[in-house]
Amino acid sequence: MKKTVSVIGLGNRGTEYMGFLKAFHSSRVEIYALCDIRQQALDDIAPRFSVPEERRFLSAEDFFSRGVLSDALIIATQDRSHCEITKRAIQTGYKLILLEKPVSAVKEEYEGLRDLARERGALLIVCHVLRYSNYYRRIKEIIAGGEIGDLVSINHTENVGYFHFAHSFVRGNWRNESGSAPSLLAKCCHDLDLIAWFADSPCVSVSSVGSLRYFCKENAPAGAAPFCMGGCAAKNTCPYDAERLYIKDPFYKAKFIKYMKRTLTGKAKNRKSDIENALKTGDYGRCVFGCDNDVCDHQFVTMTFENGVTAVLSMNAFSEKMFRECHIVGTKGELIGRGTKLTLHVFGGKTGRIGTFSPNIGGHVEGDIRLIAGFVKILCGEAADLTDITTIDATVVSHDIALAAEESRKNGGAPVFLAAGRG
Ligand SMILES: NC(=O)c1ccc[n+]([C@@H]2O[C@H](COP(=O)([O-])OP(=O)(O)OC[C@H]3O[C@@H](n4cnc5c(N)ncnc54)[C@H](O)[C@@H]3O)[C@@H](O)[C@H]2O)c1
């Protein structure tokens, strides 16, 4: 008999995970019930997965009032609702839950969830998807295998991409701390998770600097209008012109905006006129210098781990492309990574490209696919070794570091010390 999975939150992430379940695991997993506060989402998505009317819910309350409906649950709603919904899920009796990150920007909340999951014997997996890609697993293997000697330091950069940053962190869902989280937590808890995983030791101190440098009204060009398509005098020269990003530019149409169109209009299928109408008055058509955004557009974090390893994470909005880079040095060698290309130099010894079997299929799609494969294994009772699964315990580590970094940044970069064994 097939195992059953229900999904709360039918946006980009929820439907992507459902797509992978259907494409790769439909012989043993069935999507059972769906919940979203948007009727349109239920109407668009449920038929594709053959979920009947009686198993579609317009509120989490309704969904949970029916008790435990399936063997596992995916929660992919927006950031601020994660904790409350997950708490309800555990209290209702779900024992296997896949939760999107960030879990919460409030320490008591994410620690409370960890404790509740332990108490009720629920396995709460958080989608720190980067850890699941072969590329990062290979890096971990090389470090752990001692090929670069003792690990000394990690220098990791998240280049968000100027258009991606504008879409998500200036105009979109993650623009405002009160509505989501600081950009470091929202965008880089994955990166902090990787760094702590590589360092393999508790983080003992954190300091950070950064700010919202550019996307604010002081930087608006002369003649800027509230909406790009509303008579902006700088439209032809502004790289953030919404019409250019969402309608005209073929690169973004192909690679990024195709995926994001649903976000603009709330519809699964869009005509050009739907996009145009959304841009004329909606969030994504706004001038990037006149939004209600307050999250940092660049930030540095330095970390020291108990075993002496040091690390730097740099997050910035200002790159042409979206990609991550890392330079990991040990006493006997170094690893240099860019995108999914990895080079190993052993001092005085071998040097060259390392095969990672990580296909370059865009963003972290490979990690997403492997995360779902791991989730299905656990669901089907096959995964004996849970050491590399990113449970809420790993989340506490990355989130502690992110909150400490924010505390430091707001205090001019003064170090914040984490109790040994935490963070
Ligand atoms: N793991 C990753 O790499 C990764 C990448 C991007 C986003 N995310 C996270 O995934 C989550 C979802 O992101 P997204 O891009 O899919 O967002 P989205 O806005 O496209 O989807 C969220 C969906 O949840 C629904 N929803 C909101 N509140 C709800 C509630 N109380 N009950 C039921 N449904 C509700 C919305 O109507 C929407 O359909 C966010 O927390 C985001 O930060 C994670």
Side-chain angles (χ1 to χ4, degrees):
M1 204 162 99
K2 285 189 187 180
K3 295 285 181 185
T4 52
V5 176
S6 298
V7 182
I8 306 183
L10 308 179
N12 291 312
R13 303 297 299 172
T15 52
E16 183 180 76
Y17 292 141
M18 288 163 65
F20 296 148
L21 285 171
K22 187 172 174 180
F24 305 122
H25 307 284
S26 58
S27 60
R28 29 192 217 156
V29 176
E30 175 193 353
I31 306 286
Y32 191 77
L34 298 177
C35 170
D36 199 290
I37 49 174
R38 290 182 302 120
Q39 184 67 50
Q40 173 94 50
L42 286 169
D43 293 346
D44 287 342
I45 310 296
R48 279 172 42 201
F49 295 87
S50 311
V51 177
E53 290 278 356
E54 66 274 14
R55 286 193 244 128
R56 302 176 193 174
F57 300 90
L58 260 176
S59 78
E61 291 73 45
D62 236 13
F63 175 85
F64 289 121
S65 72
R66 299 279 295 274
V68 176
L69 291 173
S70 52
D71 299 309
L73 179 63
I74 295 178
I75 300 171
T77 55
Q78 272 300 340
D79 300 3
R80 287 278 162 173
S81 58
H82 289 170
C83 250
E84 199 45 48
I85 294 179
T86 309
K87 201 167 139 192
R88 281 295 308 274
I90 298 173
Q91 286 167 341
T92 302
Y94 283 91
K95 296 293 182 210
L96 178 58
I97 300 167
L98 187 70
L99 169 64
E100 259 306 351
K101 60 82 204 168
V103 171
S104 168
V106 178
K107 186 171 173 55
E108 292 69 33
E109 287 187 358
Y110 59 73
E111 285 187 344
L113 268 192
R114 175 200 56 194
D115 297 345
L116 184 66
R118 274 185 196 161
E119 194 187 304
R120 302 289 178 98
L123 182 59
L124 178 53
I125 301 171
V126 180
C127 303
H128 296 296
V129 294
L130 295 182
R131 263 217 227 179
Y132 295 83
S133 81
N134 273 338
Y135 170 77
Y136 287 112
R137 288 195 172 213
R138 192 75 186 95
I139 292 177
K140 171 74 178 171
E141 244 172 55
I142 290 170
I143 296 171
E147 282 183 74
I148 58 168
D150 292 336
L151 182 61
V152 175
S153 74
I154 300 162
N155 189 342
H156 182 88
T157 303
E158 160 64 313
N159 301 289
V160 181
Y162 74 99
F163 56 96
H164 180 193
F165 195 89
H167 174 88
S168 297
F169 299 94
V170 180
R171 292 172 165 135
N173 289 328
W174 297 272
R175 65 184 182 269
N176 203 294
E177 205 177 310
S178 63
S180 96
S183 50
L184 183 75
L185 182 63
K187 189 74 191 95
C188 292
C189 62
H190 288 330
D191 303 277
L192 294 170
D193 173 64
L194 281 180
I195 289 170
W197 187 46
F198 294 155
D200 199 18
S201 175
C203 183
V204 290
S205 80
V206 177
S207 63
S208 179
V209 290
S211 67
L212 173 57
R213 160 82 174 71
Y214 189 55
F215 299 99
C216 33
K217 62 177 184 312
E218 295 74 34
N219 293 315
F227 286 87
C228 302
M229 293 173 80
C232 174
K235 194 171 185 308
N236 291 336
T237 52
C238 179
Y240 299 99
D241 170 32
E243 191 176 6
R244 178 202 298 243
L245 288 183
Y246 294 107
I247 296 175
K248 288 186 177 163
D249 196 312
F251 171 80
Y252 301 113
K253 247 198 262 179
K255 292 246 171 163
F256 181 68
I257 296 308
K258 192 170 163 216
Y259 178 61
M260 292 296 162
K261 275 181 184 166
R262 189 173 48 213
T263 309
L264 262 59
T265 64
K267 294 181 185 171
K269 288 192 181 138
N270 287 287
R271 289 186 300 243
K272 192 175 168 214
S273 58
D274 294 324
I275 306 282
E276 275 173 359
N277 289 337
L279 294 183
K280 280 179 187 154
T281 53
D283 284 353
Y284 295 92
R286 293 183 294 173
C287 173
V288 292
F289 305 103
C291 294
D292 54 342
N293 56 310
D294 64 8
V295 297
C296 285
D297 55 23
H298 71 292
Q299 189 164 357
F300 279 92
V301 183
T302 62
M303 288 151 268
T304 306
F305 293 85
E306 203 172 61
N307 60 0
V309 169
T310 51
V312 179
L313 167 68
S314 162
M315 183 271 296
N316 78 82
F318 307 102
S319 59
E320 172 68 17
K321 299 209 165 118
M322 309 184 277
F323 66 103
R324 289 177 161 92
E325 294 170 286
C326 64
H327 185 196
I328 299 175
V329 302
T331 52
K332 293 184 179 162
E334 65 181 335
L335 274 168
I336 300 169
R338 189 182 163 94
T340 54
K341 292 188 182 135
L342 188 63
T343 309
L344 169 68
H345 300 279
V346 175
F347 306 142
K350 76 172 172 186
T351 199
R353 278 283 294 280
I354 299 288
T356 60
F357 302 104
S358 259
N360 192 3
I361 47 178
H364 42 63
V365 175
E366 185 216 345
D368 300 344
I369 292 172
R370 292 188 195 281
L371 164 75
I372 289 298
F375 171 68
V376 169
K377 274 190 168 180
I378 295 169
L379 177 62
C380 296
E382 279 173 19
D385 180 11
L386 297 181
T387 45
D388 280 348
I389 295 290
T390 50
T391 64
I392 182 78
D393 294 298
T395 302
V396 170
V397 173
S398 63
H399 285 36
D400 273 355
I401 299 175
L403 295 196
E406 275 302 276
E407 186 183 329
S408 165
R409 187 183 71 78
K410 288 174 181 167
N411 284 300
V416 172
F417 297 97
L418 297 167
R422 275 183 46 215

